Each structure stands twice: as C-alpha cells, then as structure tokens.
Amino acid sequence: MIVFVPTPPPPERWPPNFEFGVLTTMSFPVPVPRYVNKAFVDLSLRRARIGVELHSYAKFIGKVRAKAPWAELWIVFPDAYCDAAETRRNYEKFRRLASLVSPPKKYLYVAQEFATDVPEDVDVVALPARRQCHTNCTREPDICAARIIAYIRNYIRDKPVHLLGPSLRVLRATHHLAGSFDTASYRRAVDKELKQMMGGKWQATKDVMDTFLFRWLEKALGKKLAFDEPNRHDPLV
C-alpha cells in the first residue's frame, strides 16, 4: 500500500508492506523530503471546487519537479468538483502541459461523478472518498464506500485505484481494493489517548506526527500495524 501524507516518516519507520510518499497541493504546498521516492501533486479539494488556471497548476508542478528531480511525481489531472464533463475538458486541455514535465511521473484521472470514460493514457484512476458531490463521506461512509466498491468491481479492469482523502470508515471498507490513498486527517488525534498525550489538545505537533499517523492507520485499517521492532514507534505502548 502506498500512502501519501504531508509529513511522511523516514523509511526506517515504515511498517512492512507500506511505502510513504509526500502529499503536496497548491493550497498546502510542502517540500519533498529527500528520503521519499514519490510525490502526489494535486490541486486540493478547495481549488477543484472554485476552479484553477491550468498554466498556474502546470507552473506549480514544474516547481515541484525542479526541487525534487529524483521523485516520481503522481500528477493529478485538474478535476472540476462534481463535474465529470468539465473534468474531461480539463484533461484534454492539460495533456500537453503534463507531457512537458520530465519523468519519472504517473498520470491520475479523477473519476468525478464516477464517470466511466477514463482516458486510456492515464496510469491511475482516482476516486473521491471524502466528499462525493453532495455526500459527506465522514457522515455517510457506508454510501460512499458502496459507490467506490461498485465502481471498482464493475468498471476497473487494468488500472490501479487511488482513494482521494478517504474518511476512516470509507478506507476501512475499501482499502483492499485500492493500491494507494492520500490523507492529512491523521494530524488530529483519532482517540482520547492521543488527546491526553497532547495535554488535552487534538492537534499533533511535529515530534509526535508519526505516532498520530500510525494510530490513524490502525483505526482506519482495523488492525494493528506490524513493525520489525515492536513498540519502537509508539510512545503510548
């Protein structure tokens, strides 16, 4: 499983069968650490809603590439929130700009409204997993998860699936069908134990970010993470 987060842990802290990359967006740009090999480059949900000038997005991607020439960029074609037709038009307009980005890179297409006309030349299909048009996936996770599962089983044949910002319960129900996802939700305490560790505050500080991330993943996946050296990364154990 590939997980993209704003603060990826160093490789020596990765649980078995996990790889971490950095999540960077136009709304919340973060640097690409030298120890990660993948960077997920996206507009952000807010910009997908309000729209973005395509050349500005291309310029942002170019800056990420210039600062991290070693990283494989997972470039999300600019989507239009809850508008499959406009998302497809953006794809057609952005293809030339995306082609100018030097490799290594992968192209991701967001299937807004669970559109089935995914272009053949994209590498990964990205599915909304936090908000699906008028459905808030945190409040109605069963509905969101059911849509994702049905879409993958009915329409995905030869492309891997990426889940866009899945809520905890959506990820728990769908992670076995996806190859990757991105999240920033772990930065807020997922249980009272973490909140107590922070002196009653919900927000993580830099020194405990990995602990918050691994605890969030355990809650989302419904199982304990296995490390080569048990208890090494969680000060609460």
Side-chain angles (χ1 to χ4, degrees), residues 2 9 22 26-27 34 36 42-43 55 70 93 104 110 121 143 163 165 167 199 209 221 232 236:
I2 304 172
V22 70
M26 288 189 72
S27 295
R34 190 63 183 84
V36 301
D42 196 7
L43 292 174
H55 284 274
W70 70 88
K93 295 175 184 177
V110 182
D121 60 348
I143 293 175
L163 301 177
S167 67
M209 203 66 75
L221 302 178
R232 180 178 55 171
L236 296 176

Side-chain angles (χ1 to χ4, degrees), residues 175-194:
H175 68 87
H176 61 291
L177 297 174
S180 59
F181 68 91
D182 64 272
T183 184
S185 299
Y186 64 94
R187 294 179 294 183
R188 180 177 169 83
V190 76
D191 56 34
K192 292 181 179 179
E193 191 175 15
L194 289 179

Side-chain angles (χ1 to χ4, degrees), residues 134-147:
H134 302 297
T135 305
N136 183 323
C137 296
T138 300
R139 297 175 181 172
E140 300 182 275
D142 293 342
I143 293 175
C144 292
R147 290 170 179 163

Side-chain angles (χ1 to χ4, degrees), residues 141-221:
D142 293 342
I143 293 175
C144 292
R147 290 170 179 163
I148 290 170
I149 292 169
Y151 182 87
I152 293 174
R153 288 178 174 171
N154 291 329
Y155 300 110
I156 298 298
R157 295 292 179 266
D158 57 356
K159 295 184 186 297
V161 169
H162 178 91
L163 301 177
L164 291 165
S167 67
L168 271 173
R169 290 173 62 188
V170 170
L171 183 60
R172 187 178 301 167
T174 60
H175 68 87
H176 61 291
L177 297 174
S180 59
F181 68 91
D182 64 272
T183 184
S185 299
Y186 64 94
R187 294 179 294 183
R188 180 177 169 83
V190 76
D191 56 34
K192 292 181 179 179
E193 191 175 15
L194 289 179
K195 182 183 178 183
Q196 184 178 7
M197 185 183 78
M198 297 304 297
K201 298 180 180 179
W202 288 101
Q203 203 69 18
T205 52
K206 186 176 181 180
D207 58 314
V208 295
M209 203 66 75
D210 290 355
T211 296
F212 273 55
L213 171 59
F214 296 142
R215 185 65 62 87
W216 189 92
L217 287 172
E218 288 180 340
K219 294 284 187 180
L221 302 178

Side-chain angles (χ1 to χ4, degrees), residues 20-211:
F20 289 88
V22 70
L23 166 63
T24 184
T25 71
M26 288 189 72
S27 295
F28 299 100
V30 298
V32 181
R34 190 63 183 84
Y35 56 79
V36 301
N37 295 319
K38 294 179 174 61
F40 189 87
V41 188
D42 196 7
L43 292 174
S44 78
L45 178 59
R46 182 179 70 85
R47 288 181 180 266
R49 283 176 165 174
I50 65 176
V52 66
E53 204 280 316
L54 299 185
H55 284 274
S56 296
Y57 184 43
K59 186 176 181 180
F60 171 69
I61 296 172
K63 289 181 178 178
V64 177
R65 165 52 77 222
K67 293 180 179 180
W70 70 88
E72 180 181 70
L73 301 188
W74 287 41
I75 301 171
V76 181
F77 273 84
D79 57 310
Y81 180 73
C82 199
D83 191 334
E86 185 63 20
T87 295
R88 183 62 186 234
R89 285 191 288 269
N90 283 349
Y91 160 79
E92 299 293 348
K93 295 175 184 177
F94 199 72
R95 287 176 67 187
R96 185 187 67 81
L97 294 174
S99 71
L100 299 178
V101 180
S102 59
K105 59 186 176 181
K106 287 184 182 293
Y107 295 149
L108 289 82
Y109 186 84
V110 182
Q112 288 288 351
E113 301 182 279
F114 292 95
T116 59
D117 59 337
V118 175
E120 286 296 325
D121 60 348
V122 299
D123 301 294
V124 181
V125 180
L127 299 179
R130 181 171 54 165
R131 290 199 69 95
Q132 297 172 353
C133 292
H134 302 297
T135 305
N136 183 323
C137 296
T138 300
R139 297 175 181 172
E140 300 182 275
D142 293 342
I143 293 175
C144 292
R147 290 170 179 163
I148 290 170
I149 292 169
Y151 182 87
I152 293 174
R153 288 178 174 171
N154 291 329
Y155 300 110
I156 298 298
R157 295 292 179 266
D158 57 356
K159 295 184 186 297
V161 169
H162 178 91
L163 301 177
L164 291 165
S167 67
L168 271 173
R169 290 173 62 188
V170 170
L171 183 60
R172 187 178 301 167
T174 60
H175 68 87
H176 61 291
L177 297 174
S180 59
F181 68 91
D182 64 272
T183 184
S185 299
Y186 64 94
R187 294 179 294 183
R188 180 177 169 83
V190 76
D191 56 34
K192 292 181 179 179
E193 191 175 15
L194 289 179
K195 182 183 178 183
Q196 184 178 7
M197 185 183 78
M198 297 304 297
K201 298 180 180 179
W202 288 101
Q203 203 69 18
T205 52
K206 186 176 181 180
D207 58 314
V208 295
M209 203 66 75
D210 290 355
T211 296

